Amino acid sequence: MKDILTAPFLTEMIRTTTNMYNHGWDERNGGNISLLLTENEVSEYCDVNKVLRVIPTGFKTPELDGKYFLVTGTGKYFKNVQYNPDINLGLVKIIDEGENAELLWGFSDGGKFTSEFPTHMMSHAARLAVNPDNKVIMHCHPNNILAMTYVHSLDEKEFTRTLWQMCTECIIVFPDGVNVLKWMLCGTNEIGIATAEKMKTARLVVWAQHGLYGAGADLDEAFGLIETAEKAAEIYMKIAHLPLINTITDEQMHLLEVRFNVKAREGYLK
Ligand code: 2HA
Ligand code: ZN
């Protein structure tokens, strides 16, 4: 058995949480990530039959039965993942139609997965139905997206169009746009169900006055999506109070669609 601390999925997770902390997106225990792994990947580094503990989840996701996830821990700080990965991260296998998770590695101080586990697992199920290659659900509190939810309409089409207009790359990176959930109580099955519903049509879901969720085929893709949306929101927050003289027009967006072979969300461009 190889040392799990050398597993690419673990080193990537450590780099990503550290990077996100350094971006200021994950203050204190803010943010959480789950990464879907194959049994082959996991069994190189850990005995999948040696269950340390069984942790109840409080919800059902039968679609994920038998699937493995590396996930950040509840109450844990992204800042600290690099120093104590075995305390701050856990590797679990989903069993009993999602109602329980077998802990195979990590959470070594007796901890458990993020309080947002319902949203993570329900969003994985929703994204996998759209894209079987999806592996990552990522949540964080980026400053400018958060700020924008206080001063911009939360209408999904308007929110998306504003972000697209802030940088040329946006429509190329997230042609599916950004869905928006009005403020809801976090850490609940209800916000999980609502987020997963929004994940069916976009890989980015804003939680108003809270933060952002991103989905992707790997950690880089989910990170890059969030990074691009956050940059657009930063530009918006720099200019929103100033007279707008120029913008990216819908005609120009159509040129980007053709040049980069992407299709903007149906009905979002004139
Ligand atoms: O647990 O970000 O939404 C930290 C959070 C909750
Ligand atoms: Zn949060």
PDB file of all heavy atoms in Angstrom, residues 29-32 75 114-116 139 141 186 207 210 213, ligand 1:
ATOM      1  N   ASN A  29     -13.415  28.806   9.193  1.00  0.00           N
ATOM      2  CA  ASN A  29     -13.797  27.472   8.683  1.00  0.00           C
ATOM      3  C   ASN A  29     -14.645  27.585   7.419  1.00  0.00           C
ATOM      4  O   ASN A  29     -15.349  26.642   7.059  1.00  0.00           O
ATOM      5  CB  ASN A  29     -14.555  26.691   9.756  1.00  0.00           C
ATOM      6  CG  ASN A  29     -15.861  27.369  10.132  1.00  0.00           C
ATOM      7  OD1 ASN A  29     -15.901  28.592  10.269  1.00  0.00           O
ATOM      8  ND2 ASN A  29     -16.922  26.609  10.300  1.00  0.00           N
ATOM      9  N   GLY A  30     -14.600  28.751   6.762  1.00  0.00           N
ATOM     10  CA  GLY A  30     -15.419  28.960   5.569  1.00  0.00           C
ATOM     11  C   GLY A  30     -14.977  28.061   4.423  1.00  0.00           C
ATOM     12  O   GLY A  30     -13.786  27.814   4.232  1.00  0.00           O
ATOM     13  N   GLY A  31     -15.946  27.582   3.685  1.00  0.00           N
ATOM     14  CA  GLY A  31     -15.680  26.812   2.474  1.00  0.00           C
ATOM     15  C   GLY A  31     -15.587  25.322   2.724  1.00  0.00           C
ATOM     16  O   GLY A  31     -15.350  24.869   3.849  1.00  0.00           O
ATOM     17  N   ASN A  32     -15.807  24.570   1.671  1.00  0.00           N
ATOM     18  CA  ASN A  32     -15.716  23.108   1.733  1.00  0.00           C
ATOM     19  C   ASN A  32     -15.592  22.559   0.316  1.00  0.00           C
ATOM     20  O   ASN A  32     -16.063  23.177  -0.635  1.00  0.00           O
ATOM     21  CB  ASN A  32     -16.929  22.497   2.467  1.00  0.00           C
ATOM     22  CG  ASN A  32     -18.141  23.399   2.438  1.00  0.00           C
ATOM     23  OD1 ASN A  32     -18.805  23.492   1.418  1.00  0.00           O
ATOM     24  ND2 ASN A  32     -18.409  24.096   3.525  1.00  0.00           N
ATOM     25  N   GLY A  75     -16.038  22.453  10.608  1.00  0.00           N
ATOM     26  CA  GLY A  75     -15.328  23.294  11.583  1.00  0.00           C
ATOM     27  C   GLY A  75     -13.849  23.452  11.300  1.00  0.00           C
ATOM     28  O   GLY A  75     -13.145  24.138  12.042  1.00  0.00           O
ATOM     29  N   THR A 114     -17.874  18.138   6.277  1.00  0.00           N
ATOM     30  CA  THR A 114     -18.481  19.472   6.284  1.00  0.00           C
ATOM     31  C   THR A 114     -19.979  19.459   6.590  1.00  0.00           C
ATOM     32  O   THR A 114     -20.701  18.553   6.163  1.00  0.00           O
ATOM     33  CB  THR A 114     -18.259  20.148   4.915  1.00  0.00           C
ATOM     34  OG1 THR A 114     -19.111  21.291   4.822  1.00  0.00           O
ATOM     35  CG2 THR A 114     -18.565  19.254   3.732  1.00  0.00           C
ATOM     36  N   SER A 115     -20.415  20.526   7.240  1.00  0.00           N
ATOM     37  CA  SER A 115     -21.849  20.702   7.517  1.00  0.00           C
ATOM     38  C   SER A 115     -22.651  20.844   6.224  1.00  0.00           C
ATOM     39  O   SER A 115     -23.868  20.693   6.219  1.00  0.00           O
ATOM     40  CB  SER A 115     -22.065  21.955   8.377  1.00  0.00           C
ATOM     41  OG  SER A 115     -21.573  23.097   7.697  1.00  0.00           O
ATOM     42  N   GLU A 116     -21.954  21.162   5.134  1.00  0.00           N
ATOM     43  CA  GLU A 116     -22.637  21.305   3.842  1.00  0.00           C
ATOM     44  C   GLU A 116     -22.617  19.998   3.046  1.00  0.00           C
ATOM     45  O   GLU A 116     -22.801  19.996   1.826  1.00  0.00           O
ATOM     46  CB  GLU A 116     -22.016  22.439   3.011  1.00  0.00           C
ATOM     47  CG  GLU A 116     -21.966  23.790   3.694  1.00  0.00           C
ATOM     48  CD  GLU A 116     -23.326  24.412   4.028  1.00  0.00           C
ATOM     49  OE1 GLU A 116     -24.367  23.802   3.713  1.00  0.00           O
ATOM     50  OE2 GLU A 116     -23.336  25.496   4.625  1.00  0.00           O
ATOM     51  N   HIS A 139     -17.116  24.898  -2.557  1.00  0.00           N
ATOM     52  CA  HIS A 139     -17.838  26.038  -1.990  1.00  0.00           C
ATOM     53  C   HIS A 139     -16.860  26.986  -1.315  1.00  0.00           C
ATOM     54  O   HIS A 139     -15.915  26.546  -0.660  1.00  0.00           O
ATOM     55  CB  HIS A 139     -18.860  25.526  -0.967  1.00  0.00           C
ATOM     56  CG  HIS A 139     -19.470  26.603  -0.125  1.00  0.00           C
ATOM     57  ND1 HIS A 139     -20.211  27.637  -0.664  1.00  0.00           N
ATOM     58  CD2 HIS A 139     -19.453  26.826   1.219  1.00  0.00           C
ATOM     59  CE1 HIS A 139     -20.629  28.422   0.313  1.00  0.00           C
ATOM     60  NE2 HIS A 139     -20.176  27.957   1.465  1.00  0.00           N
ATOM     61  N   HIS A 141     -16.327  31.594  -0.117  1.00  0.00           N
ATOM     62  CA  HIS A 141     -16.942  32.892   0.180  1.00  0.00           C
ATOM     63  C   HIS A 141     -16.154  34.010  -0.505  1.00  0.00           C
ATOM     64  O   HIS A 141     -15.552  34.837   0.189  1.00  0.00           O
ATOM     65  CB  HIS A 141     -16.970  33.125   1.693  1.00  0.00           C
ATOM     66  CG  HIS A 141     -17.633  32.043   2.497  1.00  0.00           C
ATOM     67  ND1 HIS A 141     -17.386  31.835   3.839  1.00  0.00           N
ATOM     68  CD2 HIS A 141     -18.565  31.108   2.143  1.00  0.00           C
ATOM     69  CE1 HIS A 141     -18.131  30.831   4.289  1.00  0.00           C
ATOM     70  NE2 HIS A 141     -18.837  30.353   3.275  1.00  0.00           N
ATOM     71  N   CYS A 186     -28.082  27.812   5.739  1.00  0.00           N
ATOM     72  CA  CYS A 186     -27.065  26.886   5.221  1.00  0.00           C
ATOM     73  C   CYS A 186     -26.951  25.649   6.118  1.00  0.00           C
ATOM     74  O   CYS A 186     -27.490  25.619   7.220  1.00  0.00           O
ATOM     75  CB  CYS A 186     -25.726  27.598   5.064  1.00  0.00           C
ATOM     76  SG  CYS A 186     -25.147  28.372   6.572  1.00  0.00           S
ATOM     77  N   TRP A 207     -24.885  31.585  -3.659  1.00  0.00           N
ATOM     78  CA  TRP A 207     -25.733  31.637  -2.469  1.00  0.00           C
ATOM     79  C   TRP A 207     -25.722  33.095  -2.023  1.00  0.00           C
ATOM     80  O   TRP A 207     -24.691  33.579  -1.529  1.00  0.00           O
ATOM     81  CB  TRP A 207     -25.164  30.773  -1.341  1.00  0.00           C
ATOM     82  CG  TRP A 207     -25.469  29.302  -1.423  1.00  0.00           C
ATOM     83  CD1 TRP A 207     -26.069  28.621  -2.439  1.00  0.00           C
ATOM     84  CD2 TRP A 207     -25.167  28.322  -0.398  1.00  0.00           C
ATOM     85  NE1 TRP A 207     -26.164  27.283  -2.120  1.00  0.00           N
ATOM     86  CE2 TRP A 207     -25.618  27.077  -0.877  1.00  0.00           C
ATOM     87  CE3 TRP A 207     -24.566  28.379   0.852  1.00  0.00           C
ATOM     88  CZ2 TRP A 207     -25.487  25.898  -0.139  1.00  0.00           C
ATOM     89  CZ3 TRP A 207     -24.425  27.222   1.594  1.00  0.00           C
ATOM     90  CH2 TRP A 207     -24.897  25.987   1.098  1.00  0.00           C
ATOM     91  N   HIS A 210     -23.887  34.900   0.997  1.00  0.00           N
ATOM     92  CA  HIS A 210     -23.108  33.819   1.623  1.00  0.00           C
ATOM     93  C   HIS A 210     -21.863  33.452   0.791  1.00  0.00           C
ATOM     94  O   HIS A 210     -20.753  33.510   1.296  1.00  0.00           O
ATOM     95  CB  HIS A 210     -24.006  32.596   1.851  1.00  0.00           C
ATOM     96  CG  HIS A 210     -23.308  31.452   2.526  1.00  0.00           C
ATOM     97  ND1 HIS A 210     -23.878  30.709   3.530  1.00  0.00           N
ATOM     98  CD2 HIS A 210     -22.073  30.915   2.337  1.00  0.00           C
ATOM     99  CE1 HIS A 210     -23.021  29.783   3.951  1.00  0.00           C
ATOM    100  NE2 HIS A 210     -21.920  29.886   3.229  1.00  0.00           N
ATOM    101  N   TYR A 213     -20.996  28.247  -5.133  1.00  0.00           N
ATOM    102  CA  TYR A 213     -20.656  26.843  -5.393  1.00  0.00           C
ATOM    103  C   TYR A 213     -20.188  26.703  -6.829  1.00  0.00           C
ATOM    104  O   TYR A 213     -20.788  27.288  -7.740  1.00  0.00           O
ATOM    105  CB  TYR A 213     -21.884  25.942  -5.186  1.00  0.00           C
ATOM    106  CG  TYR A 213     -21.975  25.416  -3.788  1.00  0.00           C
ATOM    107  CD1 TYR A 213     -22.500  26.196  -2.775  1.00  0.00           C
ATOM    108  CD2 TYR A 213     -21.502  24.141  -3.483  1.00  0.00           C
ATOM    109  CE1 TYR A 213     -22.567  25.717  -1.475  1.00  0.00           C
ATOM    110  CE2 TYR A 213     -21.570  23.661  -2.184  1.00  0.00           C
ATOM    111  CZ  TYR A 213     -22.100  24.450  -1.186  1.00  0.00           C
ATOM    112  OH  TYR A 213     -22.146  23.964   0.093  1.00  0.00           O
TER     113      TYR A 213
HETATM  114  O1  2HA B   1     -18.662  25.420   6.953  1.00  0.00           O
HETATM  115  O2  2HA B   1     -18.793  27.631   4.408  1.00  0.00           O
HETATM  116  O3  2HA B   1     -21.371  27.194   4.429  1.00  0.00           O
HETATM  117  C1  2HA B   1     -18.285  26.519   6.334  1.00  0.00           C
HETATM  118  C2  2HA B   1     -19.220  27.034   5.348  1.00  0.00           C
HETATM  119  C3  2HA B   1     -20.660  26.792   5.533  1.00  0.00           C
END
